[in-house]
């Protein structure tokens, strides 16, 4: 059997989208042309690959088995095409990054700003995900780089990580708590005030929980929020005191809407890491940005 590779590519997109119209759109062709190709492929293989249903095109058992092999082959072709395209020009490249909120605000935005001064035509696509979801996106080939706030326990080969930034959270309060800025209270005394923090499943919240537990205390915030960028407004509205990275609060401290509060001892350092897959074809732009991140001074706040 000498089946045209184009048949496999069309089969891949129909199976991927489960819809003839979406597949035709992705392939920039007509739906009838896609339908004819699928029929020819089924004739060549001597079996039915799809069942048409109300929800779209569903793979048969034979179709599902065939898709496992075709998708693996197409993935390699697509990587090859991407590699060749990316070799053409750094200044026309694009980079996709999955980053945590903390990584984005503490170092990534500043790095992108500096990098684009050197290469203004490079485009960036930034996804905001948790550390674990960023690593999953990287492993699935959805992004070039993951910028994460914590390294998952099982960072399996071939993924490589490099620490690119380090910081320690500072405790702040709004105008209602301005009297605390000149005091140095014990953690037992600080626990008497309302706290603002992330929800229990967040990495930063787990970090604070563990820190308080090391003091023999239980951390019980009065306000729990879903994202880090909501903590500062909540503190500015005097809903409580809370920890944030320096980059989140520098401007607010300068304008006087919040005040740093002394704590008995400094919070442990936290690290932001860059993770990538060395076995996945990288564009010139992505490779250059990775090197740029590693060549920058290691920022330790």
């Amino acid at each position: 059997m000498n089946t045209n590779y184009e048949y496999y590519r069309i089969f891949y997109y129909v199976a991927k989208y489960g819809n003839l119209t979406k597949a035709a759109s992705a392939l920039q062709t007509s739906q009838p042309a896609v339908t004819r190709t699928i029929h020819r492929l089924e004739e060549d293989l001597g079996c039915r690959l799809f069942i048409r249903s109300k929800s779209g095109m569903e793979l048969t058992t034979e179709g599902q088995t065939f898709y496992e092999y075709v998708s693996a082959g197409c993935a390699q072709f697509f990587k090859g095409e991407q590699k060749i395209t990316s070799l053409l020009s750094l200044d026309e490249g694009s980079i996709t990054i999955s980053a945590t909120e903390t990584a984005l605000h503490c170092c990534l935005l500043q790095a992108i700003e500096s990098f684009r001064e050197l290469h203004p035509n490079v485009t960036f696509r930034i996804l905001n995900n948790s550390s674990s979801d960023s690593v999953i996106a990287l492993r699935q080939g959805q992004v070039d780089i993951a910028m994460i706030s914590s390294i998952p326990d099982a960072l399996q080969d071939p993924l490589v990580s490099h620490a690119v930034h380090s910081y320690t959270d500072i405790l702040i309060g709004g105008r209602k708590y301005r009297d605390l800025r000149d005091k140095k209270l014990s953690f037992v005394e600080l626990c008497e005030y309302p706290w603002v923090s992330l929800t229990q499943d967040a990495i930063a919240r787990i970090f604070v929980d563990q820190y308080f537990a090391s003091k023999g205390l239980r951390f019980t915030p009065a306000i729990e929020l879903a994202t880090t960028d909501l903590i500062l407004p909540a503190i500015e509205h005097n809903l409580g005191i809370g920890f944030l990275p320096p980059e989140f609060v520098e401007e607010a401290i300068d304008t006087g809407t919040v005040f740093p509060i002394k704590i008995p001892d400094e919070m442990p350092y936290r690290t932001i890491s860059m993770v990538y897959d060395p076995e996945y074809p990288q564009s010139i732009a992505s490779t250059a940005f990775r090197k740029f991140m590693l060549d920058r001074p290691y920022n330790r706040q």
Side-chain angles (χ1 to χ4, degrees):
M1 184 178 69
N2 187 22
T3 303
N4 190 321
Y5 162 71
E6 188 66 11
Y7 289 10
Y8 296 148
R9 195 166 76 97
I10 292 172
F11 165 79
Y12 168 82
Y13 277 101
V14 174
K16 177 181 179 180
Y17 292 112
N19 183 284
L20 290 169
T21 302
K22 290 182 179 179
S25 177
L27 292 161
Q28 297 183 334
T29 187
S30 67
Q31 181 177 329
V34 172
T35 301
R36 286 194 299 271
T37 298
I38 293 300
H39 288 163
R40 290 170 186 162
L41 181 59
E42 289 177 332
E43 290 175 1
D44 285 352
L45 294 173
C47 66
R48 195 170 183 181
L49 299 172
F50 294 97
I51 298 173
R52 188 188 292 269
S53 68
K54 291 182 179 179
S55 59
M57 300 290 285
E58 296 180 0
L59 287 166
T60 63
T61 301
E62 294 83 359
Q64 183 61 52
T65 299
F66 192 53
Y67 178 70
E68 293 175 5
Y69 289 93
V70 171
S71 61
C74 284
Q76 293 303 312
F77 284 121
F78 296 157
K79 286 181 180 180
E81 290 172 354
Q82 179 186 7
K83 183 66 175 179
I84 294 301
T85 300
S86 69
L87 291 174
L88 297 178
S89 172
L90 169 63
D91 288 333
E92 295 183 4
S94 64
I95 306 168
T96 303
I97 301 174
S98 182
T100 64
E101 244 184 318
T102 302
L104 189 66
H105 290 284
C106 286
C107 66
L108 183 56
L109 289 177
Q110 299 93 319
I112 291 175
E113 179 183 15
S114 298
F115 184 79
R116 280 180 53 81
E117 289 178 359
L118 299 173
H119 308 289
N121 294 324
V122 171
T123 60
F124 284 84
R125 179 170 176 257
I126 309 298
L127 309 180
N128 183 208
N129 289 310
S130 66
S131 292
S132 56
D133 286 343
S134 292
V135 171
I136 291 172
L138 179 66
R139 196 175 291 284
Q140 292 178 346
Q142 298 173 5
V143 299
D144 301 306
I145 297 169
M147 297 288 292
I148 61 179
S149 307
S150 66
I151 299 292
D153 293 336
L155 190 65
Q156 300 175 350
D157 290 339
L159 300 187
V160 174
S161 69
H162 295 281
V164 293
H165 185 80
S166 183
Y167 67 95
T168 182
D169 290 309
I170 60 175
L171 181 60
I172 59 169
R175 290 189 176 95
K176 181 179 177 180
Y177 304 100
R178 62 162 57 91
D179 60 307
L180 296 180
R181 61 180 172 177
D182 296 321
K183 297 180 180 178
K184 190 170 184 179
L185 303 179
S186 68
F187 277 102
V188 173
E189 292 172 312
L190 288 171
C191 283
E192 296 177 1
Y193 290 86
W195 283 75
V196 177
S197 185
L198 294 174
T199 53
Q200 289 184 325
D201 57 337
I203 294 294
R205 168 63 184 278
I206 294 171
F207 187 81
V208 174
D209 284 343
Q210 293 174 343
Y211 181 63
F212 271 70
S214 70
K215 310 292 182 186
L217 300 170
R218 183 181 179 186
F219 183 62
T220 53
I223 304 290
E224 293 185 323
L225 300 168
T227 59
T228 305
D229 62 347
L230 295 176
I231 294 179
L232 179 58
I235 293 175
E236 288 178 319
H237 283 84
N238 299 305
L239 299 184
I241 61 177
F243 285 113
L244 275 174
E247 291 82 359
F248 279 77
V249 300
E250 287 173 347
E251 184 175 345
I253 289 176
D254 289 342
T255 58
T257 60
V258 299
F259 307 91
I261 299 172
K262 297 177 182 179
I263 58 177
D265 53 80
E266 193 177 62
M267 286 280 283
Y269 277 96
R270 297 177 60 193
T271 300
I272 294 171
S273 298
M274 176 178 64
V275 184
Y276 63 93
D277 183 350
E279 294 185 0
Y280 187 82
Q282 295 284 320
S283 67
I284 287 180
S286 177
T287 301
F289 183 71
R290 223 173 54 210
K291 184 177 184 300
F292 178 82
M293 289 296 298
L294 294 177
D295 289 344
R296 295 171 75 233
Y298 187 93
N299 293 318
R300 189 180 180 94
Q301 295 289 343

